[in-house]
Amino acid sequence: MAENETLECITEHERILQEIESTDTACVGPTLRSIYDDQPNAHMRFMEKLDARIRNHDREIEKMCNFHHQGFVDAITELLKVRMDAEKLMGQVTDTNQRLQEAGKEVTAQTVEVIRCRIQQRNMATTVEKLQLCIPVLEKYSKLKEQLESKRYYGALKTMEQLEKVYIPRVSQYRFCQIMAENLPRLREDIKEISMSELKDFLESIRKHSDKVGDAAMRQAQQHRTFNSAIAKQANVGHYTRPLYSVNGQTHTQTSLMMEDDAEDEDADEEVLTAQDLVDFSPVYRCLHIYAVLGDRETFENYYRKQRKKQARLVLQPQANMHETVEGYRRYFNQIVGFFLVEDHILHATQGLVTRAFADELWNMALSKIIAVLRTHSSYCEDPDLVLELKNLIVIFADTLQGFGFSVNRLFDLLFDIRDQYNETLLKKWALLFREIFELDNYSPIPVETEDEYKLVVSRFPFHDAEIEKQDFPKKLPMSQSVPQIYMQVKEFIYASLKFSESLHRSSTEIDDMLRKSTNLLLTRTLSCCLQNLIKKPYIGLTELVQIIINTTHLEQGCRYLEEFITNITNVSPETVHTTRLYGLSTFKDARHAAESEIYTKLNQKIDEFIQLADYEWSMAESEGRASGYLMDLINFLRSTFQVFTHLPGKVAQTACMSACKHLSTSLMQMLVDTDLKQISMGAIQQFNLDVIQCELFASSEPVPGFQGDTLQLAFIDLRQLLDLFMVWDWSTYLADYGQPTSKYLRVNPATALTLLEK
């Protein structure tokens, strides 16, 4: 067993030695560690074995060296021999190398140049390739700059979009492209600011040009209206030619109006510029497209509408003195028309920037303001011509905007309010005309020397009197000069009122009703007031009052001709159910009654003036034997006055005569019972009786025809019975018959008799 163990150990050591010899030195550690892991003192035996193996290898090396030594020596010897040749060859190689180097310097230099050129060529090719990618970007950017300089902002935005999405991503690694990309948002903001600035300039520009735009549109509307009016008037010109109202009193015929309209048509043939011709709308379109491309259209729309609302409020604000001239109204209307024509153009030229709802809202707001402004400023107008021109401007203004789809019904309703104001100004103007006519009238019958003069008067006033027509020239017409003048002025007023009713889109019946109502106002208010004031004038005497009564009678008769005159103008039959009648009859009757009352008053005042001249000597012993001088003068005055009264119509003269006699009787009675008179002699009673006798004689002389019997003498019956009672001293009869219907002194008042008896 010991031998076996020894044999195994030797075999194991042999294996380990072979492994060490054949294994890499780095892997020897595990092999050597296995020696120590075996039996104790195994490493000693392994060391012995290792030493034996080393000695064995040394012997083999020595044998090999001994075997190759002679060959080595020979090789060294041969090497020494070759050394000299090698040195010689080395010298030759060195010399050849030097000569080769000298010869190759130029080639080397050229080679370096070739290499450098090849590198440059490669760089150039690379540069060209890169530039071919960059050039489109630069061209687009250059195009962008040109578009910005030429203010083609919409195209610039499209170019920016191409740069961002197509061109810059290809060369995004370059610094200049990064700078471009960083600049594009800023350029977009610049474009927005510039376009907004242009929009602001546009808004400011159209605010200044609205006047011209509105003027052109209103002139075009005026041209159409004049043309239509001329056609309508040609249809009527064959029926009759009528004069037209003129402020200066000049009369124009229908034919002359047609000639004026033709002249206006010739002027209207000139080219009429439209809103597109006067306003450049491109800033609005550009700004709208730019904001739409930038995705901010809503902001733009809100800004535009807000600014236009502000401008609308400015446009609707009138000048303080607008009501003074028609040009002030014209500029006001032109600006408003221009404003809304621009909005109408924007409405139809853009998609949604201005909607119909927005335009209508803006117009309704403006319409309320316009109506309020016109109602206020028209109330300041005192000139009917200015009000009439304002009406014509409103009609043209309404027709113009109606042609563009705006509702103008409220404007025509406003015209009815202005028509009332117009009528008021007409009434004031005609009141001045009437007063001037009355002041210049001589209140005497119109003298007519020839037939031509007669025809002239009849042409101005419808006067017909068979008896006067039969008289020879010269002759006198009963009315004074004011009658035909008043009649002509009433006709002029009707024409003036008609001028306002034209172009109001109303029927003939409505126009007829308007004319009749305004004429009624003229007659019942203006003319009536002028007549009433005239009658109260202190310089108007009895003769003038008589002539006024005669004048009003003829004017009253002329009212039916005025109705026919209105019928001829409007072609509305007077038999129409709703036709308004003229109230001139009542006007002139009231004036006549006022004149009659004034005659009675003035006549009584004149009697009082004569009575104040009475100077009785109440204590005289006997009468003078004749009537008092003041009373005779009074009677003579009454006689001459009542002779003038014979021209008065109806019972006016009789009433005036009766009133005068009654007033005279009352005044004389008052003289007797005056409290200041304390004592009366019988001589004074007799003198007083003589005066009363003259009064009775005057009454019995029938100063005014038409009294029956002694009706006029009854005015003095109270005085007569009282004086008889004292003259006869018939107190017994008075007392006996007192209270009896058949009493001789029935009209004697006991209190009056007692008062006089005491005196």
Side-chain angles (χ1 to χ4, degrees):
M1 290 180 64
E3 293 178 356
N4 289 336
E5 292 178 357
T6 303
L7 182 61
E8 290 178 0
C9 183
I10 294 172
T11 304
E12 179 65 20
H13 290 168
E14 189 68 25
R15 184 187 63 76
I16 291 172
L17 289 174
Q18 290 178 357
E19 186 174 348
I20 292 172
E21 291 175 350
S22 60
T23 304
D24 190 6
T25 307
C27 300
V28 174
T31 303
L32 295 177
R33 188 179 298 111
S34 64
I35 297 173
Y36 291 94
D37 293 337
D38 292 339
Q39 297 176 3
N41 300 321
H43 63 283
M44 298 297 296
R45 288 191 294 274
F46 177 75
M47 292 297 294
E48 293 175 356
K49 187 66 177 175
L50 180 60
D51 291 338
R53 176 62 61 91
I54 293 171
R55 286 191 299 273
N56 185 27
H57 281 297
D58 289 339
R59 285 192 297 271
E60 289 180 357
I61 292 170
E62 185 178 356
K63 289 179 181 179
M64 187 174 292
C65 289
N66 291 331
F67 178 76
H68 291 288
H69 178 71
Q70 188 60 42
F72 176 74
V73 172
D74 293 338
I76 293 299
T77 303
E78 288 294 330
L79 185 60
L80 291 173
K81 292 179 180 180
V82 175
R83 182 176 180 181
M84 294 299 294
D85 294 334
E87 291 178 355
K88 183 180 179 180
L89 180 61
M90 185 63 180
Q92 292 177 352
V93 170
T94 303
D95 183 59
T96 302
N97 180 56
Q98 290 178 352
R99 287 187 285 107
L100 183 61
Q101 291 296 329
E102 290 293 333
K105 284 182 179 180
E106 185 177 356
V107 175
T108 302
Q110 292 180 354
T111 302
V112 172
E113 184 67 22
V114 169
I115 292 172
R116 187 177 64 80
C117 290
R118 289 291 177 87
I119 292 173
Q120 288 180 349
Q121 186 178 11
R122 185 176 65 250
N123 290 341
M124 289 174 62
T126 303
T127 301
V128 169
E129 181 182 355
K130 298 301 181 181
L131 284 177
Q132 287 177 346
L133 292 176
C134 295
I135 284 175
V137 179
L138 296 174
E139 288 177 347
K140 283 292 181 181
Y141 197 78
S142 176
K143 180 181 178 181
L144 173 62
K145 290 294 185 180
E146 292 177 358
Q147 290 172 332
L148 292 176
E149 291 176 358
S150 61
K151 299 182 179 181
R152 292 182 286 122
Y153 301 118
Y154 182 71
L157 290 175
K158 291 296 185 183
T159 303
M160 287 185 193
E161 185 178 0
Q162 293 177 355
L163 282 172
E164 284 183 330
K165 294 183 178 180
V166 179
Y167 293 96
I168 291 180
R170 297 176 182 174
V171 288
S172 59
Q173 68 272 21
Y174 298 112
R175 178 61 180 167
F176 77 93
C177 290
Q178 296 175 2
I179 294 174
M180 286 183 185
E182 293 173 357
N183 283 339
L184 291 182
R186 181 179 59 80
L187 291 177
R188 279 196 178 92
E189 291 301 320
D190 291 343
I191 290 175
K192 286 181 67 174
E193 293 178 1
I194 293 172
S195 61
M196 183 58 69
S197 176
E198 289 187 351
L199 176 66
K200 292 178 181 178
D201 294 340
F202 166 79
L203 293 175
E204 181 66 22
S205 174
I206 60 173
R207 191 175 71 85
K208 296 178 180 178
H209 287 84
S210 292
D211 191 4
K212 295 181 180 179
V213 175
D215 179 63
M218 288 186 67
R219 281 193 290 112
Q220 191 173 14
Q222 171 68 26
Q223 179 181 352
H224 289 300
R225 193 169 75 89
T226 303
F227 177 75
N228 295 334
S229 177
I231 293 177
K233 289 172 182 176
Q234 284 178 351
N236 296 330
V237 73
H239 297 292
Y240 61 92
T241 301
R242 66 174 187 246
L244 293 176
Y245 161 69
S246 174
V247 183
N248 297 326
Q250 298 177 356
T251 304
H252 300 282
T253 61
Q254 186 86 9
T255 306
S256 66
L257 178 64
M258 294 294 296
M259 294 175 64
E260 293 173 1
D261 290 340
D262 292 339
E264 291 178 0
D265 290 339
E266 292 177 1
D267 295 337
D269 288 339
E270 298 178 0
E271 181 180 0
V272 179
L273 299 176
T274 61
Q276 296 89 330
D277 299 324
L278 296 171
V279 179
D280 179 17
F281 290 93
S282 57
V284 180
Y285 304 148
R286 282 198 300 269
C287 197
L288 177 61
H289 289 312
I290 287 170
Y291 273 76
V293 170
L294 295 177
D296 207 7
R297 179 187 174 112
E298 184 177 356
T299 300
F300 173 75
E301 290 179 354
N302 293 335
Y303 176 82
Y304 177 85
R305 295 177 183 179
K306 181 179 179 181
Q307 293 301 315
R308 289 300 278 168
K309 283 185 177 180
K310 290 182 179 179
Q311 286 190 342
R313 294 187 180 94
L314 292 176
V315 167
L316 295 171
Q317 190 67 32
Q319 295 182 352
N321 61 343
M322 182 179 74
H323 61 277
E324 295 179 357
T325 61
V326 69
E327 287 303 319
Y329 288 106
R330 193 186 306 277
R331 285 193 297 271
Y332 182 67
F333 288 133
N334 286 344
Q335 289 177 356
I336 296 174
V337 171
F339 178 89
F340 283 99
L341 259 60
V342 169
E343 290 304 290
D344 182 77
H345 178 79
I346 296 294
L347 171 65
H348 292 90
T350 60
Q351 294 290 335
L353 177 58
V354 175
T355 62
R356 174 52 67 181
F358 173 75
D360 290 341
E361 176 188 358
L362 206 59
W363 168 243
N364 290 330
M365 180 272 292
L367 188 58
S368 299
K369 179 66 175 177
I370 292 168
I371 291 174
V373 167
L374 293 179
R375 183 174 283 115
T376 300
H377 281 261
S378 64
S379 63
Y380 300 146
C381 294
E382 299 293 336
D383 183 7
D385 288 341
L386 182 57
V387 179
L388 182 61
E389 292 182 359
L390 172 60
K391 167 258 174 182
N392 292 331
L393 282 177
I394 293 176
V395 171
I396 298 172
F397 174 72
D399 289 345
T400 303
L401 289 174
Q402 189 176 33
F404 288 90
F406 295 98
S407 175
V408 295
N409 292 332
R410 291 172 62 189
L411 285 175
F412 285 101
D413 294 337
L414 170 67
L415 285 175
F416 282 94
D417 297 336
I418 296 180
R419 181 182 178 277
D420 295 337
Q421 173 67 20
Y422 175 70
N423 282 336
E424 289 298 323
T425 58
L426 285 182
L427 293 174
K428 291 179 181 179
K429 180 181 178 63
W430 258 256
L432 296 176
L433 292 174
F434 289 151
R435 283 199 290 269
E436 183 179 0
I437 291 172
F438 290 141
E439 290 175 359
L440 297 178
D441 193 11
N442 57 9
Y443 297 99
S444 60
I446 301 175
V448 179
E449 301 293 336
T450 63
E451 185 176 357
D452 291 338
E453 292 182 6
Y454 179 78
K455 290 181 179 179
L456 178 62
V457 175
V458 173
S459 66
R460 300 178 63 193
F461 180 76
F463 175 76
H464 303 287
D465 191 308
E467 294 183 1
I468 294 180
E469 289 178 358
K470 294 177 182 179
Q471 296 175 4
D472 297 330
F473 292 100
K475 53 187 174 183
K476 291 185 177 182
L477 303 183
M479 68 277 193
S480 65
Q481 291 287 353
S482 62
V483 172
Q485 292 176 356
I486 293 293
Y487 185 81
M488 289 301 297
Q489 286 301 327
V490 173
K491 293 175 68 175
E492 288 294 324
F493 178 87
I494 294 172
Y495 282 130
S497 183
L498 176 64
K499 289 295 291 182
F500 195 94
S501 301
E502 293 176 347
S503 305
L504 292 185
H505 309 296
R506 298 293 173 177
S507 64
S508 298
T509 304
E510 291 176 302
I511 294 177
D512 181 86
D513 186 63
M514 293 178 189
L515 290 180
R516 293 177 182 272
K517 287 181 178 179
S518 59
T519 306
N520 278 330
L521 281 176
L522 177 71
L523 297 176
T524 59
R525 197 172 76 182
T526 305
L527 182 55
S528 176
C529 182
C530 290
L531 285 170
Q532 296 290 342
N533 292 334
L534 173 66
I535 293 169
K536 299 296 183 181
K537 294 288 185 182
Y539 63 84
I540 297 296
L542 293 172
T543 304
E544 288 79 4
L545 289 171
V546 171
Q547 188 62 54
I548 290 173
I549 292 175
I550 296 172
N551 290 347
T552 54
T553 302
H554 287 284
L555 287 173
E556 180 181 343
Q557 294 171 357
C559 283
R560 63 186 182 92
Y561 296 100
L562 289 176
E563 290 199 356
E564 294 177 1
F565 177 72
I566 295 176
T567 300
N568 291 334
I569 292 177
T570 60
N571 294 324
V572 176
S573 174
E575 284 75 22
T576 305
V577 177
H578 301 289
T579 300
T580 304
R581 300 299 177 184
L582 294 184
Y583 302 142
L585 299 178
S586 60
T587 298
F588 297 123
K589 284 181 180 179
D590 293 341
R592 188 161 56 253
H593 292 159
E596 293 171 1
S597 299
E598 191 66 19
I599 286 177
Y600 307 149
T601 302
K602 286 186 177 295
L603 196 57
N604 293 340
Q605 290 175 353
K606 200 67 176 177
I607 292 173
D608 292 338
E609 292 176 5
F610 280 100
I611 293 296
Q612 289 177 1
L613 298 176
D615 188 17
Y616 287 104
E617 187 179 349
W618 297 107
S619 60
M620 65 172 57
E622 295 181 359
S623 67
E624 296 177 354
R626 63 180 181 275
S628 302
Y630 85 92
L631 188 67
M632 297 306 298
D633 293 338
L634 172 58
I635 290 175
N636 291 332
F637 166 76
L638 292 176
R639 288 185 188 278
S640 61
T641 300
F642 290 142
Q643 287 178 359
V644 178
F645 284 11
T646 56
H647 300 289
L648 290 174
K651 298 182 179 181
V652 177
Q654 297 175 12
T655 305
C657 187
M658 177 59 76
S659 173
C661 290
K662 286 183 177 180
H663 184 72
L664 177 58
S665 175
T666 303
S667 299
L668 292 174
M669 179 69 76
Q670 185 64 33
M671 198 180 298
L672 291 176
V673 298
D674 188 4
T675 56
D676 294 335
L677 180 61
K678 303 301 183 181
Q679 185 177 1
I680 302 176
S681 65
M682 287 305 297
I685 292 293
Q686 293 172 358
Q687 181 63 40
F688 199 82
N689 182 58
L690 293 175
D691 293 342
V692 175
I693 291 173
Q694 289 298 323
C695 293
E696 292 173 333
L697 291 175
F698 168 74
S700 62
S701 66
E702 196 175 7
V704 174
F707 286 106
Q708 296 180 357
D710 56 354
T711 303
L712 191 58
Q713 296 178 15
L714 292 177
F716 300 98
I717 189 65
D718 292 353
L719 272 174
R720 172 47 51 207
Q721 291 184 5
L722 178 63
L723 291 175
D724 286 347
L725 176 61
F726 278 86
M727 293 290 293
V728 180
W729 206 255
D730 193 9
W731 292 99
S732 59
T733 303
Y734 174 72
L735 295 174
D737 296 341
Y738 180 75
Q740 299 296 323
T742 59
S743 174
K744 180 180 178 180
Y745 304 103
L746 180 64
R747 305 297 296 271
V748 176
N749 189 301
T752 303
L754 181 60
T755 301
L756 186 58
L757 181 62
E758 291 176 352
K759 293 183 179 184

